[in-house]
Amino acid sequence: MQDNKYGLIDKDYNLVIAPIYDEELEMLNGNLFVAKLDGKYGVIDTKNSLRLPFKYKDFRSCDSCDNKEILIVATQQEKESYKYGVIDTAGNILIPFEYDTLWNYRKRKDTFIAGKGYQTKGIINLKNEVIIPFEKNCYIHELSDKTFIRVKCGLNDEYYIYDFSNKKVCKTKFSFIKNNSYDIDLFEATKDFENWGYIDKYGNIKIGFKYKETGEFENGYANVALDMNRRNFGLINKKGKLILPFEYDYGFEPVDGGEMFIVIKNGKYGIVDRKNKVVIDFQYDYITKTNGTRFF
């Protein structure tokens, strides 16, 4: 970065693309990059030759597309509104610019959550074919490759789980279901915002709604709390078995594949093993890890 502008250097620190762009360049493949110039997105190559003009107002990569050179972009239409569609890096329009929102459904190949107008959502594929019909007064959230979340909008939103034949897979009405970044088997859910537990992708309760706060499973473990007034957290496995007792501040970061954990107690960081034996005493203001190396 130079003067708040971004460019590109190679592994030998030779300048490849001069720092003239508004944001960091995002690589599509070894030769193509998405760049932002004067508030608009385009595509350049390693010689800084223009492949797609700088005319798009928003841009996202299609993470679940087989072709990594497919982009979700928005153009500015009449009355200052944006319309989203999908193009490739040759400028071919794969999905026309007719949606008010468009998000890649990461857990299903070539699938998108699309929006038309306010609170009207459906699911389409890369051929712009409707997989799940558009419905008013609802939102759709990604859940798994077999099921998705449909939120019925109202005074109190209601969360239901559907499969891709558009059938409700369980009768349970949830108040909230959290999508996951790491684990694909268990999801945090609640019926009343007071008590939390874990369900599978079909809405089956796998760990009961007995916690006041829950965390996402990572490396087979999740942090949970029974009493938010005390904010004492413990660690459970996927069977709901308590691994570390309810005596820690929020935060358990797995180390060595879950053999040990970076934890916080009384505001200080330390490391314990799965038997709750202290490996590094609670004396540090911060501990993190990167590339397998611990930093204190």
Side-chain angles (χ1 to χ4, degrees):
M1 184 172 69
Q2 186 178 55
D3 298 326
N4 293 318
K5 296 293 183 180
Y6 294 84
L8 185 70
I9 59 174
D10 63 20
K11 60 183 178 65
D12 297 316
Y13 305 105
N14 298 310
L15 184 65
V16 177
I17 297 175
I20 62 172
Y21 296 106
D22 300 344
E23 296 178 353
E24 290 185 42
L25 305 181
E26 180 167 333
M27 181 183 291
L28 296 175
N29 58 34
N31 298 309
L32 296 179
F33 298 85
V34 173
K36 188 176 184 181
L37 185 65
D38 296 330
K40 295 183 179 180
Y41 291 95
V43 174
I44 60 174
D45 62 20
T46 51
K47 295 181 180 180
N48 204 24
S49 297
L50 190 63
R51 295 295 186 91
L52 279 179
F54 291 96
K55 68 176 186 179
Y56 300 104
K57 297 296 293 184
D58 195 6
F59 138 81
R60 305 181 198 108
S61 296
C62 182
D63 297 329
S64 70
C65 294
D66 283 341
N67 184 349
K68 299 306 178 186
E69 296 182 17
I70 291 176
L71 306 173
I72 304 167
V73 294
T75 59
Q76 194 164 11
Q77 304 288 327
E78 59 185 14
K79 297 181 181 179
E80 302 297 321
S81 64
Y82 295 171
K83 292 293 183 181
Y84 284 82
V86 176
I87 62 172
D88 61 22
T89 53
N92 299 310
I93 297 175
L94 306 178
I95 295 177
F97 294 92
E98 59 185 38
Y99 298 104
D100 295 301
T101 58
L102 194 62
W103 297 94
N104 179 209
Y105 197 108
R106 296 166 299 167
K107 296 173 184 176
R108 282 179 68 96
K109 185 178 72 173
D110 296 347
T111 304
F112 305 85
I113 301 172
K116 291 182 176 181
Y118 181 64
Q119 293 183 351
T120 300
K121 299 294 187 290
I123 298 179
I124 63 174
N125 63 19
L126 194 54
K127 297 179 180 179
N128 201 30
E129 297 169 335
V130 176
I131 301 174
I132 301 297
F134 286 81
E135 183 175 326
K136 293 182 178 180
N137 300 316
C138 86
Y139 290 107
I140 289 177
H141 300 306
E142 180 177 357
L143 188 63
S144 74
D145 61 334
K146 302 295 184 182
T147 56
F148 64 92
I149 301 166
R150 176 176 277 136
V151 184
K152 304 287 188 177
C153 299
L155 184 61
N156 296 304
D157 291 347
E158 300 174 351
Y159 284 62
Y160 296 95
I161 300 176
Y162 285 74
D163 64 19
F164 279 85
S165 66
N166 204 27
K167 293 181 180 178
K168 192 183 295 183
V169 299
C170 73
K171 296 180 180 180
T172 306
K173 177 181 68 177
F174 298 99
S175 295
F176 197 81
I177 302 172
K178 294 183 183 178
N179 197 355
N180 294 344
S181 301
Y182 301 104
D183 192 80
I184 59 173
D185 299 320
L186 295 178
F187 304 87
E188 302 163 69
T190 180
K191 297 178 183 179
D192 56 10
F193 285 108
E194 292 289 333
N195 302 288
W196 292 78
Y198 294 87
I199 60 175
D200 65 14
K201 60 187 175 184
Y202 297 107
N204 299 310
I205 298 173
K206 294 300 182 179
I207 299 176
F209 296 90
K210 58 184 178 181
Y211 303 108
K212 297 304 180 185
E213 187 167 331
T214 54
E216 183 178 345
F217 275 94
E218 183 180 358
N219 292 106
Y221 302 99
N223 49 262
V224 293
L226 289 174
D227 186 347
M228 287 306 298
N229 292 322
R230 296 175 59 200
R231 289 191 64 83
N232 283 355
F233 284 81
L235 194 73
I236 60 172
N237 63 17
K238 286 189 173 184
K239 294 183 179 180
K241 180 181 178 182
L242 188 64
I243 304 301
L244 295 179
F246 294 97
E247 61 183 44
Y248 295 104
D249 302 350
Y250 181 82
F252 297 84
E253 185 176 6
V255 178
D256 295 339
E259 293 298 317
M260 296 183 291
F261 304 91
I262 300 172
V263 293
I264 311 169
K265 193 171 186 177
N266 298 323
K268 293 293 185 179
Y269 283 73
I271 295 180
V272 299
D273 64 17
R274 286 192 294 177
K275 295 183 178 180
N276 203 35
K277 179 181 178 181
V278 176
V279 178
I280 295 178
D281 200 11
F282 297 91
Q283 57 182 305
Y284 297 102
D285 295 325
Y286 191 68
I287 300 176
T288 188
K289 63 177 182 178
T290 179
N291 297 327
T293 303
R294 294 166 210 144
F295 290 87
F296 301 81

